[in-house]
Amino acid sequence: MKLWGGRFAQGGRDAHFEKFSESFSVDRRLVQYDLLANQAYVKALGAAGVLSGAEVRQLRRGLRAIARTLERNPNRWRTESAEDVHTWVEERLEREVGLVARKLRTGRSRNDLVATETRLYAKSETARLQSAILELLEALVHQARAHADVVMPGYTHLQPAQPVLFSHYLLAYHEMLARDFDRLESGKRRADELPLGSGALAGAAFPLDRESLARELGFARPTRNSIDATSDRDFLSEFLFCCALTMIHLSRLAEDLIIYSSPGFGYVELADAYSTGSSIMPQKKNPDSLELIRGKAATVLGKLAGTLALLKGLPLAYDRDLQEDKAALFEATDITHDSLVLAARVIATLAVRPSAMAKATTVGFLTATEIADELARRGVAFAQAHEQVGRLVYACLNSTRDTRGGGRGQDRTHGQEAKKPRTFYEISDEEARRYIPSWDPELRKIATSPADAIRRRDVIGGTAPSQVNKQLRDAEGRLAQFKRRLGRTE
Ligand code: ARG
């Protein structure tokens, strides 16, 4: 069946092109929305006096029958083919109710129909993604609560920087994902306009009450411009951007945990359920779950870039190029959803190793800034304090087995073997005073107390336990609020 056969010569079709142009294999996923939109549209045609009451009842009964068939046998798709989901439904409807089905598309085009259904889909998938984000937010808060006081090395450039609380680190991802939750919602507000009634591009020529049609389909309002309504895919691009950014956040989290679970770090260990082994190396435990999330982020990013490229240069209004939008939308949605669910489980079951993290805070000179800060508090110009501490670090790194001390350029090391780097914990007071003249027990304590360094960062958003506790309470409060917004109760 073709919705447009009359104008064409009989038998002049090319099977290769038919297959190339069909979208049913992809857009059949919209069938529920097609049936919904048709139900509402039939009612609107009745109200406009285009269909009689009896015709409206017949068509609506037919549409319900199709819905029931699909409920009973959701897999019947496998054996069916059609140009697209709209064609399929129209054909099925004719089989259900006869020729009256041919009145269904009065005043309507697939252009306003497909735009309507894609918006319905994006709106409902927004809620599904939001609840998956919620799972992950909960897992993060849970782990942060359970390890509120665990100290870890914080990194910049992946080089040891300053000590932070592990809970503070986890809550950083909570912030990103909470914004993703919000972003999806604000995108939904712009998707919440009904294109149906816009016709092919110029608007329907029948007196449809688009306000009540919008209400019937759960849209906030009808679109304002029929040319825009049939050609715009902003809402879809925004939705894909939300997916892509969420995936990028997941990918960064994955990357961190891949590093932190490597034996060189050993800060965390993935549950066996989310790891795999090697077919050749019996000892291996690989974080494949996280690597796949990181890899799939690339795919979703590609869907966004591809869709933006699709829109660039498209003349108004509808062009068939737009058919490509749905495969991108569906795939990005599925990947993002499934990645969120998996990430939530990986986090929830993650084993945390506080002692490995604590040990790592004693190397890497994480308290170097603290010493310089204390010298600055004592009146030394910060630049000078920075230089003094830098020289102490240099001495620690370049000390040798036999030669204790030996400043810059003076060490008698020949080759790397003889070097024996030391930490602040291993340096003598006498030697430290060579680089920092005012070195005293107080400075030694500062140099060897990462926990104190953490306590001093007592500003809003800082890593001090008092602040992180507030952040935790705030995160828990937002979680409860998000749940209410999704209509969830506990
Ligand atoms: N399958 C098409 C799509 O997804 C439906 C709209 C077709 N419209 C048209 N004028 N050929 O975009």
Side-chain angles (χ1 to χ4, degrees):
M1 179 190 180
K2 290 268 176 288
L3 303 184
W4 40 265
R7 185 234 174 276
F8 292 85
Q10 295 279 313
R13 309 305 306 165
D14 177 324
H16 178 72
F17 173 54
E18 300 280 291
K19 188 159 185 300
F20 185 83
S21 69
E22 72 85 29
S23 59
F24 184 60
S25 53
V26 173
D27 63 21
R28 60 191 184 189
R29 187 156 164 175
L30 292 174
V31 70
Q32 304 300 345
Y33 302 113
D34 195 85
L35 292 170
L36 258 176
N38 276 320
Q39 284 283 9
Y41 192 68
V42 164
K43 211 165 145 186
L45 284 178
V50 177
L51 297 177
S52 70
E55 288 170 330
V56 169
R57 278 191 297 281
Q58 254 182 306
L59 288 169
R60 286 172 61 92
R61 181 172 47 73
L63 290 165
R64 271 197 305 277
I66 300 174
R68 270 199 306 276
T69 314
L70 289 174
E71 264 165 45
R72 275 199 304 273
N73 187 0
N75 282 328
R76 65 168 303 146
W77 299 116
R78 310 260 173 250
T79 55
E80 310 238 340
S81 65
E83 182 179 314
D84 57 23
V85 66
H86 326 292
T87 309
W88 186 83
V89 167
E90 221 176 296
E91 199 183 329
R92 286 284 323 172
L93 191 60
E94 192 165 330
R95 273 193 260 159
E96 291 289 343
V97 299
L99 289 180
V100 64
R102 299 190 174 186
K103 293 195 170 186
L104 176 70
R105 68 175 125 116
T106 314
R108 187 184 82 185
S109 156
R110 283 177 293 169
N111 300 353
D112 57 349
L113 189 58
V114 75
T116 300
E117 292 168 19
T118 314
R119 281 174 187 258
L120 285 171
Y121 176 88
K123 278 174 39 171
S124 92
E125 289 299 295
T126 293
R128 191 165 76 105
L129 288 184
Q130 282 182 311
S131 51
I133 291 179
L134 215 52
E135 303 292 318
L136 179 52
L137 290 175
E138 273 189 303
L140 286 165
V141 165
H142 220 91
Q143 287 283 20
R145 255 287 166 237
H147 302 97
D149 303 323
V150 171
V151 175
M152 74 180 285
Y155 297 87
T156 61
H157 313 263
L158 199 54
Q159 300 291 328
Q162 292 173 343
V164 295
L165 288 181
F166 181 60
S167 46
H168 192 212
Y169 160 82
L170 287 176
L171 288 177
Y173 283 102
H174 192 278
E175 290 299 322
M176 295 173 229
L177 289 152
R179 286 194 295 274
D180 293 332
F181 185 98
D182 258 339
R183 211 176 335 264
L184 275 162
E185 201 147 296
S186 82
K188 186 164 137 188
R189 280 202 293 280
R190 282 173 291 279
D192 206 9
E193 296 186 345
L194 170 84
L196 205 56
S198 299
L201 79 162
F206 297 88
L208 297 172
D209 178 353
R210 293 191 65 218
E211 303 273 358
S212 67
L213 193 50
R215 268 196 303 280
E216 181 82 17
L217 284 170
F219 284 97
R221 69 193 77 78
T223 48
R224 276 179 289 265
N225 181 311
S226 59
I227 298 174
D228 173 51
T230 48
S231 60
D232 156 54
R233 294 294 183 272
D234 292 13
F235 73 91
L236 197 146
S237 310
E238 266 192 82
F239 183 85
L240 287 177
F241 175 73
C242 292
C243 290
L245 191 56
T246 302
M247 285 304 294
I248 282 166
H249 290 150
L250 294 189
S251 185
R252 294 186 75 172
L253 174 62
E255 171 72 359
D256 274 348
L257 297 180
I258 288 167
I259 294 170
Y260 294 165
S261 64
S262 162
F265 286 75
Y267 300 167
V268 295
E269 190 180 338
L270 264 68
D272 283 2
Y274 306 111
S275 311
T276 56
S278 156
S279 59
I280 176 168
M281 298 167 282
Q283 85 284 11
K284 293 283 275 175
K285 177 175 177 181
N286 298 327
D288 290 32
S289 51
L290 296 171
E291 292 167 76
L292 282 166
I293 288 173
R294 191 176 57 187
K296 283 172 193 280
T299 305
V300 175
L301 188 54
K303 299 298 167 196
L304 169 63
T307 299
L308 293 174
L310 181 71
L311 296 171
K312 178 192 172 300
L314 270 197
L316 291 186
Y318 178 86
D319 301 273
R320 188 65 179 276
D321 314 42
L322 289 172
Q323 180 166 292
E324 294 298 307
D325 64 356
K326 282 170 289 301
L329 177 65
F330 298 158
E331 200 183 344
T333 311
D334 286 344
I335 293 176
T336 307
H337 176 266
D338 294 352
S339 301
L340 283 163
V341 169
L342 180 59
R345 292 180 189 183
V346 169
I347 294 293
T349 57
L350 195 68
V352 179
R353 307 275 184 244
S355 58
M357 294 190 209
K359 204 167 150 221
T361 60
T362 64
V363 295
F365 309 102
L366 294 170
T367 51
T369 315
E370 306 312 300
I371 307 172
D373 281 350
E374 174 59 15
L375 291 174
R377 263 180 231 116
R378 293 179 185 183
V380 181
F382 185 79
Q384 198 185 343
H386 187 287
E387 174 72 16
Q388 289 181 6
V389 180
R391 280 164 53 79
L392 177 65
V393 170
Y394 183 90
C396 288
L397 287 173
N398 291 286
S399 51
T400 57
R401 247 181 252 288
D402 41 339
T403 329
R404 288 270 146 167
R408 200 190 293 255
Q410 289 163 18
D411 75 45
R412 272 153 261 154
T413 316
H414 301 293
Q416 295 295 319
E417 284 312 309
K419 269 196 188 169
K420 190 180 182 304
R422 288 168 297 162
T423 65
F424 287 150
Y425 296 76
E426 295 156 305
I427 203 106
S428 70
D429 288 331
E430 184 204 351
E431 195 185 339
R433 260 191 296 275
R434 250 187 258 161
Y435 310 103
I436 301 174
S438 58
W439 183 264
D440 61 7
E442 173 63 13
L443 278 175
R444 166 168 299 283
K445 184 167 173 295
I446 287 171
T448 55
S449 313
D452 287 347
I454 285 177
R455 262 191 295 281
R456 270 190 291 274
R457 266 126 189 99
D458 195 5
V459 294
I460 294 174
T463 202
S466 53
Q467 294 293 339
V468 175
N469 253 317
K470 276 188 215 155
Q471 293 162 31
L472 247 175
R473 275 200 302 278
D474 182 78
E476 284 160 347
R478 266 183 296 161
L479 255 182
Q481 193 210 331
F482 285 171
K483 277 188 200 161
R484 280 195 298 277
R485 276 204 244 163
L486 277 185
R488 280 217 223 153
T489 46
E490 259 189 326

